[in-house]
Amino acid sequence: MTTHLYRRDGGTYYFRRAIPVALRPMFDGRREWIKTLGTKDRREAKRLLPSFVVAFDKAMEAGTGSGAVERSNKPATVSSAPMPSVPTLGRKSALAGLKVPLIATFDSYAAEQGIKPATATEWRSILKSLVAFVGHDNAAALTVSDIDRWRDALLTEPGRNGKVRTPGTVKRKHLCALRATLAWALEKRYLQSNVAVAVKVRAPKAKKIRDRDFSPDEVLLILSATLNLSAECGHYERLARRWIPWLCSYTGARVNEISQLRGMDIRQVGEIWIINITPEAGTVKNNEARQVPVHPHLIDQGFTAIANAAGERPIFYDIDRVRTSGPSNRYYKKVGERLCAWLRSTVGLTDPHVQPNHGWRHTFKTRAMEAGIPERVADAIQGHAPRSVGQSYGTVSLTAKLRAIKAMPRFIVEEQVTISM
């Protein structure tokens, strides 16, 4: 679509946006939209033009899909289509009072930033709850008072699980999603301010009852259970219970990084067996693949043979039962959730102050320090971001990682251990 900047009789600048033939029926046959830029200064008009063009594109997209564009038989002069407001310098915005659709704005933000599908789905749901609460989908009309009331409701009303949300959850998820979306809209000059910045949640520091890593007895309890599985569980459930705790214990990886593994992600690089933790298989927190050497104890137990048997298919879930393929597939997360439930209900890891899956990351770090492994090497194995600019220089080699992995003592676990419930 072509765009022209012009002025009438030496007055205010306008831009004229041609509408493609295929879209004209959706806009009452209009051939073009004309919109004032609200300024007689050419330099100011040229500065504002890109933001107006982007905003009009979004308005046209909204009109084709939701009927948000007001349609009439009037000549196409100044469009009444809803559009994000663009602030001018030193005076009232030419677009003040017009609509900035919150959900559509978030979708554009998520697409531009490459937000992970699972996070995008969660944040979109959060913003839809705000829209339902305030009764409109206009980010430009949100006030600090609106968000204050929404925050208070979130802190007092039960969520989908029936439990009242913690202040930390509201702060880290709900307000974070809104602030980030409005900040992006402000950056794009669709909004004049980010009202969510002024809203705070006071989250008291949680009491620390115990360390977050597993105790030696808990390690023995979990790993013993993996070697004494009931014959009643299915093939993939059995594989998950048998191997995921061991893989997490010797890699310090996140449980979802392990539950998404495919057989081909375990392979040899030279003479070194490695686990390739890659976003191609599912999700990685920092979107960066990393290679982690396989501990010799896992090789001795036969894990590499299990991986080879899976080939290109996932090891721990049946891909043929996945209804949603691609980045939106959350089935591997269900694997971790079911594993957690098994450890709680059947194995007997009942202490609420330790996480059945995530506890391995803390346990690995503790054992790495005990083994004298340099912190940067341990961070590289676990996928932790560099802690300084200096640490971002150079690469922790596969050889250095293997040396560290081999320094981790083997877990001594006997089969047929009676588990106390």
Side-chain angles (χ1 to χ4, degrees):
M1 290 182 287
T2 57
T3 301
H4 301 282
L5 178 67
Y6 73 100
R7 66 196 304 192
R8 294 176 176 174
D9 301 324
T12 302
Y13 276 93
Y14 290 77
F15 83 90
R16 182 169 59 220
R17 185 72 157 158
I19 301 176
V21 175
L23 292 180
R24 289 175 188 172
M26 305 299 298
F27 299 92
D28 299 321
R30 298 178 185 179
R31 295 186 177 184
E32 61 183 13
W33 278 358
I34 299 175
K35 186 66 182 178
T36 177
L37 294 176
T39 180
K40 295 182 181 181
D41 184 274
R42 181 174 178 80
R43 181 177 298 176
E44 175 75 355
K46 292 180 70 175
R47 187 188 70 80
L48 292 173
L49 182 61
S51 296
F52 273 67
V53 171
V54 171
F56 257 93
D57 285 345
K58 295 181 184 299
M60 291 176 71
E61 291 171 3
T64 59
S66 65
V69 178
E70 298 178 10
R71 300 184 176 96
S72 69
N73 294 320
K74 297 179 181 179
T77 53
V78 178
S79 169
S80 58
M83 174 178 177
S85 58
V86 183
T88 55
L89 299 178
R91 66 182 185 282
K92 185 178 180 181
S93 170
L95 298 174
L98 294 184
K99 185 176 180 183
V100 182
L102 179 61
I103 304 302
T105 298
F106 168 73
D107 288 339
S108 298
Y109 162 57
E112 181 179 290
Q113 294 299 113
I115 294 177
K116 296 175 184 177
T119 302
T121 298
E122 181 181 31
W123 282 20
R124 188 179 296 107
S125 177
I126 287 171
L127 296 180
K128 283 183 177 179
S129 76
L130 173 60
V131 168
F133 181 83
V134 298
H136 64 77
D137 181 28
N138 187 2
L142 288 174
T143 65
V144 174
S145 178
D146 289 333
I147 304 171
D148 276 337
R149 291 186 298 106
W150 181 54
R151 173 206 59 199
D152 293 343
L154 291 170
L155 291 170
T156 56
E157 299 174 357
R160 287 181 296 180
N161 61 1
K163 298 180 181 179
V164 176
R165 302 172 185 87
T166 65
T169 296
V170 174
K171 179 179 181 179
R172 291 190 301 270
K173 291 190 175 182
H174 296 75
L175 284 181
C176 180
L178 179 61
R179 284 184 187 131
T181 302
L182 298 186
W184 183 84
L186 180 62
E187 178 185 312
K188 296 294 183 181
R189 298 187 178 87
Y190 298 161
L191 296 175
Q192 296 179 354
S193 65
N194 182 349
V195 293
V197 172
V199 179
K200 307 296 182 183
V201 177
R202 298 301 177 188
K205 185 176 180 180
K207 295 179 180 178
K208 184 177 180 181
I209 307 300
R210 53 161 291 172
D211 292 330
R212 289 183 288 180
D213 47 351
F214 295 128
S215 69
D217 287 343
E218 287 168 337
V219 169
L220 181 63
L221 178 71
I222 296 170
L223 297 184
S224 295
T226 69
L227 302 178
N228 297 281
L229 297 172
S230 168
E232 297 177 359
C233 59
H235 173 70
Y236 288 100
E237 194 78 13
R238 190 178 185 85
L239 285 174
R241 293 176 182 180
R242 170 63 180 87
W243 292 106
I244 291 179
W246 283 94
L247 289 163
C248 288
S249 71
Y250 279 130
T251 63
R254 302 170 182 89
V255 68
N256 290 334
E257 293 175 336
I258 298 300
S259 64
Q260 71 191 18
L261 288 175
R262 305 159 297 183
M264 63 184 181
D265 294 324
I266 289 80
R267 63 177 188 269
Q268 281 187 290
V269 176
E271 297 182 353
I272 303 175
W273 278 99
I274 62 103
I275 300 170
N276 187 38
I277 297 175
T278 170
E280 291 181 341
T283 183
V284 179
K285 189 171 184 178
N286 56 8
N287 271 339
E288 295 181 5
R290 69 182 188 278
Q291 294 181 342
V292 179
V294 181
H295 194 284
H297 195 191
L298 294 173
I299 297 174
D300 292 347
Q301 291 184 61
F303 175 66
T304 53
I306 295 293
N308 283 336
E312 296 183 357
R313 297 172 64 87
I315 301 172
F316 301 114
Y317 65 90
D318 186 356
I319 197 171
D320 295 329
R321 298 183 63 182
V322 175
R323 287 189 287 254
T324 304
S325 59
S328 296
N329 169 28
R330 294 173 55 87
Y331 204 86
Y332 60 90
K333 293 189 176 182
K334 295 296 182 183
V335 173
E337 291 170 7
R338 286 194 292 268
L339 180 64
C340 178
W342 172 68
L343 291 170
R344 287 288 195 207
S345 63
T346 302
V347 176
L349 188 67
T350 56
D351 189 337
H353 302 293
V354 67
Q355 296 174 288
N357 290 331
H358 202 70
W360 288 117
R361 283 178 69 74
H362 297 281
T363 303
F364 180 91
K365 190 72 76 176
T366 298
R367 298 183 81 234
M369 288 188 286
E370 291 174 347
I373 296 172
E375 186 176 26
R376 185 182 178 187
V377 177
D379 285 346
I381 292 172
Q382 291 190 271
H384 283 138
R387 298 165 190 258
S388 66
V389 175
Q391 285 194 354
S392 67
Y393 281 71
T395 301
V396 179
S397 68
L398 196 55
T399 300
K401 292 178 185 178
L402 178 61
R403 188 184 306 116
I405 290 293
K406 285 184 174 180
M408 302 286 283
R410 295 189 178 207
F411 292 102
I412 307 301
V413 180
E414 301 292 337
E415 294 191 35
Q416 304 304 321
V417 173
T418 301
I419 302 174
S420 176
M421 298 301 294

